[in-house]
Amino acid sequence: MNLKQLSEQLGLSQTTVSRALNGYPEVSEKTRERVRQAALAFNYKPNTRARSLATGRAMAIGHVIPVSTQQEMVNPIFGDFVTGAGEIYSQHGYDMMLSLVPDRDEESFYRDLKIKGNVDGIVVHSPSMDDPRIALLNELGLPYVVHGRASSVTLPYSWVDVANASAFEEMTGHLAGLGHRRIALINGIETLDFAHRRRRGFLHALRDAGLEADDDLMVSSDMTESFGFNETRRMLALPNPPTAFAVASLITALGVRRAIEQAGLTVGRDVSVATFDDDLSYLRNGTEDAPVFSGVRSSVREAGRRVGAILLSRISNPTALPASEMIPFRLVTGTTSGPAPS
């Protein structure tokens, strides 16, 4: 089915249908949804090249990954995020462009993207506390959305995030409420904003429980399974080891569990573990009704969908005020947390 035939089916002009499919703000939301549903029903696929010529857009979204964080591209968390974002892109006829760029070349790469018009918008991944990409993209006038936040940046920008500080405060409070007094933090890289916020929530929960933070029990690095294993093994060998671990990623928590079991201890009885669960499609934390790991759960795929939707809206209406959205989380209780051993 071509655009003319779809327009005739709907009783709308080709211009209106084209604008609805391209997300133009002058088309009402009701009409856009009606056109979208009809396009799905009739399996209408717009000609990307023709659409690009008609709109003056590249019909592509850029995801730029610095070499220093290239491990993110093989991380299942990143995979779930781009899958969610890709669902939104494909619904609106957009392609995705993934680029791995040396850190020293990142600024010039963004400038080239703007000059060449290769993409219509950018998703900013893994923001640091004072991320310089925000000021650069504002200067370039290239639409973008940040997956996360940059606490030290005062410029206005669009973002989608989860309440990391509140999540870790609630998760650590869960462990303290079970009587644990030696609680360890195994965190992501703390120059990244999400990990900074998670540490802040962890420390707040300790203070609320009347507990002292111990530097020997707080570590940060890339959130790998081996990192969790090595640091847990080190901490369990201390004269006064922790009885509980608050962990920043389910992947890292698998390493924590391996170290506990290798030490001849039982997870949930001798040592408790709670983790941030991104609700991954291909690395499930048990089932919906019976999670294995206790912790806080939030959907990174839904975060990808929301980033995609906000970015396409900004491309359609670049003068709109920045938008932000908080993805919800909830505490789940599995078999890995229990009362502190007496």
Side-chain angles (χ1 to χ4, degrees):
M1 174 174 283
N2 58 32
L3 180 64
K4 181 180 178 183
Q5 292 168 328
L6 180 62
S7 301
E8 289 171 350
Q9 285 284 343
L10 289 163
L12 298 170
S13 70
Q14 292 184 49
T15 299
T16 298
V17 172
S18 177
R19 287 178 176 272
L21 290 170
N22 285 297
Y24 279 80
E26 58 265 34
V27 180
S28 71
E29 180 60 36
K30 181 178 179 181
T31 299
R32 282 202 298 270
E33 181 60 21
R34 181 184 166 211
V35 171
R36 191 182 74 82
Q37 291 294 339
L40 290 172
F42 293 109
N43 197 30
Y44 170 74
K45 301 292 184 184
N47 183 299
T48 303
R49 179 166 176 78
R51 189 173 178 181
S52 178
L53 290 171
T55 61
R57 296 177 186 165
M59 303 307 298
I61 303 298
H63 292 251
V64 181
I65 310 299
V67 168
S68 63
T69 58
Q70 63 181 300
Q71 76 280 351
E72 183 174 342
M73 295 185 74
V74 295
N75 189 316
I77 297 171
F78 179 76
D80 254 37
F81 176 85
V82 296
T83 297
E87 291 172 6
I88 302 301
Y89 303 156
S90 63
Q91 288 174 12
H92 294 83
Y94 279 79
D95 295 323
M96 185 189 308
M97 186 180 82
L98 292 175
S99 302
L100 187 62
V101 180
D103 294 55
R104 66 181 181 277
D105 298 335
E106 194 172 5
E107 179 177 344
S108 61
F109 186 82
Y110 280 118
R111 293 187 183 279
D112 284 346
L113 284 179
K114 174 63 176 179
I115 292 169
K116 294 175 182 177
N118 292 339
V119 298
D120 299 307
I122 291 287
V123 175
V124 176
H125 292 277
S126 301
S128 60
M129 297 287 290
D130 55 352
D131 203 294
R133 292 172 292 181
I134 292 172
L136 174 62
L137 290 168
N138 281 346
E139 174 199 332
L140 296 175
L142 191 59
Y144 69 95
V145 177
V146 180
H147 179 210
R149 284 172 285 174
S151 297
S152 300
V153 174
T154 58
L155 296 169
Y157 61 95
S158 295
W159 55 264
V160 173
D161 199 8
V162 65
N164 284 292
S166 297
F168 252 62
E169 183 176 349
E170 186 167 336
M171 189 174 86
T172 307
H174 164 71
L175 295 171
L178 291 169
H180 294 280
R181 293 296 175 262
R182 295 278 290 169
I183 304 174
L185 170 66
I186 298 189
N187 201 8
I189 298 172
E190 290 177 356
T191 54
L192 299 179
D193 194 84
F194 81 90
H196 171 81
R197 291 176 184 270
R198 291 179 186 183
R199 180 187 179 96
R200 192 173 73 199
F202 172 82
L203 293 174
H204 196 182
L206 291 187
R207 286 195 297 270
D208 284 350
L211 304 177
E212 291 288 333
D214 185 338
D215 288 340
D216 285 339
L217 301 185
M218 295 186 292
V219 292
S220 68
S221 186
D222 290 329
M223 297 185 297
T224 62
E225 193 271 353
S226 59
F227 166 57
F229 174 79
N230 291 331
E231 288 298 335
T232 301
R233 186 169 59 173
R234 178 188 66 81
M235 292 182 191
L236 291 177
L238 293 172
N240 188 13
T243 62
F245 289 82
V247 189
S249 165
L250 180 61
I251 298 163
T252 309
L254 295 173
V256 173
R257 181 174 66 181
R258 180 163 67 97
I260 293 169
E261 291 173 346
Q262 193 174 97
L265 302 170
T266 300
V267 178
R269 186 189 69 191
D270 301 315
V271 183
S272 289
V273 180
T275 186
F276 194 97
D277 174 13
D278 288 284
D279 196 16
L280 303 174
S281 302
Y282 301 104
L283 187 61
R284 307 298 302 189
N285 177 18
T287 64
E288 182 67 24
D289 297 328
V292 175
F293 282 93
S294 297
V296 286
R297 174 175 290 172
S298 182
S299 172
V300 70
R301 181 170 289 201
E302 180 58 24
R305 293 188 187 106
R306 295 311 307 148
V307 166
I310 292 174
L311 181 52
L312 293 187
S313 175
R314 295 201 61 74
I315 291 168
S316 297
N317 188 10
T319 60
L321 293 174
S324 60
E325 188 167 330
M326 198 76 83
I327 302 297
F329 71 85
R330 60 190 177 91
L331 182 70
V332 297
T333 304
T335 61
T336 62
S337 64
S342 56

